[in-house]
């Protein structure tokens, strides 16, 4: 159980609150981790009251795993609602009085709104002295849309909350497999000696989704895949793979190492953007067995150049990783929902086997984030039985669900309670966000300077053919996790 807290969700009726945050809190509640006196306060502009908000939450939770009527009702007793506009003072006195009722509680202000509102919300939280006591603020991504706007937001938040009170969330860091990467790399003597450019050929990070942009297209069209997924989630995964061993799991020990990786990323700009990146936009096609419209039709704007797919060949300029490409790709309306990291090792230096034994394939370590979280290590072995020495490439396969018999908690469950506990290890520090924008900004600028439209790809395909060419030019292929 954590200390009693009041958790306030700005954007309390929004997609993230409804789909992720409230179910995550409910799951922690049924596991007995949330003290009875804790309160969860939804804030939005809609004129709801506690009961009508609870009705919405009841409906959402009714569809979540572990839904149980009595437990949902018990949870709802802790839920409140206040209608507030971040840009007007009306209602803030009453809200401050509500929070003031339990001054000893930890206060968490979760800003799950558009980032344009972060400045106003924090300004008012400061004005009404809600930043006092044991208070923390959680900032949802995207933090700005470039370095300048991120700095403006961080400066404004920083005038009200210290860096130690500021939790910039990247929910990928709360995923089990990502944390398991820490355990795997630093809890086993086996991998670290091989974890460098002498032994690793390349790394692939894929986050593919079958869904389109759906009802988020007005947000998405201003963001695009590089801002929505790469600048944050995928770079964070890259950092976890590439960072030097931190001396401990202390928040700054880990974040210092991640920052060094971000600062070592090779610059991509107009001079090399065409060789190192591919951006795509989906057209009509078939996804999840159904015909789906193209991005422009969904958006109702035929001129948008927003990318729904991106592939990048990233490189890290330091001793450990020089010469090891990190191929990154992500997109909407791809054939499968898969997030995985593939570490491909170099081939053996010399083969002692005859040609009819079969080909020697690279060892690959595959960390699957979703679905079916687990780890696979592809090895070469002898096919059992007589008939000569025939080589086979097979995985040592550990599915977490099978191995531990438990389903994985959603990333937000872990992260929300880490905020309450005041542990920022799995959150981004301001300088990390800035370093990530310093790398992503010039790519965005180069795309926009080129004036070129993203390459079209059919919904249900693996993106534009140029993304395949991006890796094949180097004599490599995107992993299908089947060799
Ligand atoms: C969000 C992005 O941060 O992550 C979405 O804004 C994306 O566009 C989502 O769909 C993917 O998260 P997950 O946990 O489903 O892989």
């Amino acid at each position: 159980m954590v200390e009693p807290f009041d958790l306030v969700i700005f954007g309390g009726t929004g997609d993230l609150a409804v789909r992720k945050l409230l179910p995550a809190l409910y799951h922690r509640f049924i596991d007995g981790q949330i003290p009875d006196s804790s309160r969860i306060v939804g804030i939005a502009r809609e004129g709801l009251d506690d009961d009508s908000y609870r009705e919405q939450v009841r409906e959402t939770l009714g569809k979540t795993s572990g839904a149980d009527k009595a437990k949902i009702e018990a949870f709802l007793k802790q839920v409140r609602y206040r209608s507030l506009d971040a840009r007007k003072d009306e209602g803030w006195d009453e809200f401050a009085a509500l929070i003031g009722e339990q001054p000893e509680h930890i206060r968490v202000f979760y800003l799950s709104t558009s980032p344009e509102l972060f400045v106003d919300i924090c300004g008012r939280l400061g004005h009404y002295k809600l930043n006092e006591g044991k208070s923390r603020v959680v900032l949802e991504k995207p933090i700005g849309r470039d370095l300048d706007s991120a700095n403006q937001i961080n400066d404004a938040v920083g005038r009200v909350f210290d860096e130690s009170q500021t939790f910039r969330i990247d929910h990928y860091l709360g995923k089990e497999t990502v944390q398991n990467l820490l355990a795997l790399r630093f809890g086993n003597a086996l991998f670290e000696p091989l974890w460098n450019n002498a032994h690793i050929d390349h790394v692939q990070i894929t986050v593919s989704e079958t869904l389109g942009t759906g009802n988020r297209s007005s947000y998405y069209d201003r963001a695009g895949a590089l801002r929505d997924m790469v600048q944050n989630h995928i770079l964070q995964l890259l950092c976890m793979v590439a960072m030097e061993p931190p001396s401990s799991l202390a928040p700054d020990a880990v974040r210092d190492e991640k920052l060094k990786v971000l600062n070592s990323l090779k610059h991509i700009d107009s001079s090399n953007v065409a060789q190192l990146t591919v951006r795509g936009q989906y057209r009509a096609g078939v996804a999840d067995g159904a015909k789906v419209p193209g991005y422009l039709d969904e958006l109702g704007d035929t001129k948008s150049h927003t990318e729904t797919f991106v592939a990048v060949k990233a490189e890290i300029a330091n001793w450990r990783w020089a010469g090891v490409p990190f191929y990154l790709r992500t997109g909407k309306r791809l054939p499968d929902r898969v997030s995985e990291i593939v570490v491909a090792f170099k081939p053996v230096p010399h083969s002692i086997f005859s040609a009819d034994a079969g080909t020697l394939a690279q060892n690959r370590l595959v960390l699957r984030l979703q679905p079916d979280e687990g780890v696979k290590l592809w090895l070469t072995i002898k096919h059992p039985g007589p008939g000569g020495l025939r080589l086979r490439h097979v995985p040592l396969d550990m599915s977490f669900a099978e191995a531990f018999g438990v389903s994985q908690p959603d990333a937000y469950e872990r992260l929300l309670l880490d905020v309450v506990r005041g542990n920022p290890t799995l959150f981004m520090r301001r300088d990390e966000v800035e370093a990530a924008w310093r790398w992503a900004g010039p790519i965005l600028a180069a795309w926009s300077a080129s004036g070129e439209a993203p390459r079209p790809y059919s919904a249900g395909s693996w993106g534009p053919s140029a993304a395949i060419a991006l890796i094949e030019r180097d004599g490599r292929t995107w992993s299908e996790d089947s060799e």
Side-chain angles (χ1 to χ4, degrees):
M1 182 142 349
V2 293
E3 270 186 58
F5 62 87
D6 288 339
L7 190 147
V8 180
I9 306 174
F10 286 89
T13 52
D15 181 65
L16 184 78
V18 171
R19 267 189 325 110
K20 294 286 186 182
L21 305 180
L22 289 156
L25 289 163
Y26 168 69
H27 286 128
R28 291 300 91 224
F29 171 83
I30 55 182
D31 273 3
Q33 281 191 295
I34 299 192
D36 288 345
S37 65
S38 298
R39 297 178 299 182
I40 294 150
V41 188
I43 303 276
R45 278 186 306 180
E46 284 99 308
L48 304 176
D49 58 14
D50 285 350
D51 283 341
S52 45
Y53 186 60
R54 285 186 185 130
E55 186 50 44
Q56 287 190 6
V57 180
R58 184 179 287 118
E59 201 186 315
T60 306
L61 297 182
K63 294 182 216 141
T64 192
S65 60
D68 172 301
K69 274 200 170 145
K71 288 177 184 158
I72 292 176
E73 290 313 313
F75 175 75
L76 288 176
K77 290 205 177 93
Q78 298 187 232
V79 174
R80 309 271 187 288
Y81 180 83
R82 289 296 176 271
S83 164
L84 286 182
D85 185 333
R87 297 194 161 131
K88 295 186 186 144
D89 281 318
E90 208 179 320
W92 278 80
D93 271 327
E94 293 78 6
F95 169 60
L98 174 78
I99 299 301
E101 282 169 8
Q102 308 197 114
E104 73 294 351
H105 272 201
I106 290 169
R107 298 169 183 179
V108 178
F109 300 104
Y110 196 118
L111 311 197
S112 164
T113 63
S114 132
E116 287 93 65
L117 292 175
F118 290 1
V119 173
D120 289 302
I121 297 175
C122 286
R124 288 206 157 66
L125 289 173
H127 178 80
Y128 289 92
K129 301 202 180 339
L130 290 164
N131 55 341
E132 294 177 354
K134 294 182 274 182
S135 61
R136 338 199 187 294
V137 67
V138 184
L139 307 181
E140 240 320 314
K141 63 155 265 281
I143 298 179
R145 47 180 295 104
D146 53 22
L147 183 58
D148 281 350
S149 51
N151 278 339
Q152 279 166 23
I153 292 174
N154 283 324
D155 285 345
V157 174
R159 285 193 280 276
V160 180
F161 293 97
D162 282 353
E163 182 64 27
S164 64
Q165 295 173 285
T166 308
F167 289 71
R168 295 179 192 80
I169 199 160
D170 183 314
H171 77 281
Y172 268 57
L173 292 179
K175 290 189 188 265
E176 282 286 311
T177 315
V178 177
Q179 292 164 55
N180 206 12
L181 189 53
L182 290 173
L184 210 68
R185 279 193 65 192
F186 306 122
N188 296 289
L190 198 61
F191 296 111
E192 209 44 34
L194 303 180
W195 211 258
N196 55 49
N197 53 6
H199 301 285
I200 292 181
D201 177 67
H202 72 279
V203 175
Q204 300 182 16
I205 303 180
T206 296
V207 179
S208 67
E209 297 181 272
T210 53
L211 292 178
T213 55
N215 58 8
R216 294 170 73 227
S217 54
S218 70
Y219 148 74
Y220 194 88
D221 198 56
R222 282 180 286 122
L226 194 84
R227 287 192 180 93
D228 186 52
M229 295 295 291
V230 181
Q231 187 268 350
N232 32 72
H233 303 326
I234 294 192
L235 284 189
Q236 288 293 320
L237 298 181
L238 176 144
C239 285
M240 297 300 250
V241 175
M243 70 181 181
E244 294 299 314
S247 56
S248 73
L249 282 185
D252 283 336
V254 173
R255 300 190 299 178
D256 286 348
E257 295 308 335
K258 288 198 290 161
L259 179 65
K260 287 185 206 160
V261 174
L262 292 168
N263 283 334
S264 309
L265 282 168
K266 272 199 193 167
H267 221 60
I268 301 179
D269 56 24
S270 290
S271 65
N272 53 7
V273 76
Q275 288 79 50
L276 301 178
T277 73
V278 173
R279 58 188 181 131
Q281 193 183 63
Y282 63 82
R283 297 286 180 264
V286 176
D288 280 338
K291 279 193 176 169
V292 293
Y295 176 72
L296 297 177
D297 298 328
E298 281 176 344
L299 186 68
D301 170 0
T302 52
K303 297 210 182 66
S304 169
H305 278 192
T306 299
E307 78 286 356
T308 59
F309 173 95
V310 60
V312 182
K313 177 180 171 183
E315 286 175 90
I316 301 169
N318 65 18
W319 273 46
R320 188 187 279 262
W321 295 112
V324 180
F326 282 66
Y327 299 98
L328 318 175
R329 67 175 169 167
T330 183
K332 305 276 184 199
R333 289 285 189 229
L334 300 185
D336 287 320
R337 178 171 184 255
V338 175
S339 299
E340 67 183 19
I341 302 170
V342 178
V343 179
F345 290 86
K346 291 198 166 162
V348 294
H350 163 72
S351 172
I352 61 168
F353 305 101
S354 65
D356 32 332
T359 47
L360 278 169
Q362 285 173 311
N363 294 122
R364 286 174 183 238
L365 179 67
V366 180
L367 295 128
R368 172 71 71 114
L369 276 62
Q370 59 196 19
D372 315 323
E373 295 90 341
V375 179
K376 273 187 196 170
L377 179 61
W378 287 86
L379 299 172
T380 298
I381 53 132
K382 176 193 169 294
H383 190 82
L389 201 160
R390 287 163 298 145
L391 301 175
R392 289 288 175 271
H393 203 48
V394 290
L396 268 181
D397 187 354
M398 187 171 82
S399 144
F400 296 159
E402 278 172 28
F404 300 105
V406 287
S407 63
Q408 303 297 317
D410 187 81
Y412 281 100
E413 296 182 33
R414 160 85 194 236
L415 295 175
L416 283 167
L417 290 202
D418 274 359
V419 178
V420 174
R421 291 186 195 103
N423 179 359
T425 304
L426 297 176
F427 294 80
M428 291 182 290
R429 213 167 52 190
R430 174 173 180 163
D431 47 9
E432 286 181 75
V433 176
E434 290 171 5
W437 277 125
R438 269 197 290 277
W439 177 81
I443 301 178
L444 291 161
W447 283 344
S448 129
S450 79
E452 283 170 24
R455 294 165 194 265
Y457 63 96
S458 304
S461 72
W462 278 107
S465 53
I468 298 170
L470 174 87
I471 190 165
E472 290 193 344
R473 272 203 297 276
D474 296 344
R476 302 179 174 109
T477 51
W478 291 108
S479 164
E480 286 173 16
D481 190 22
S482 55
E483 303 142 67

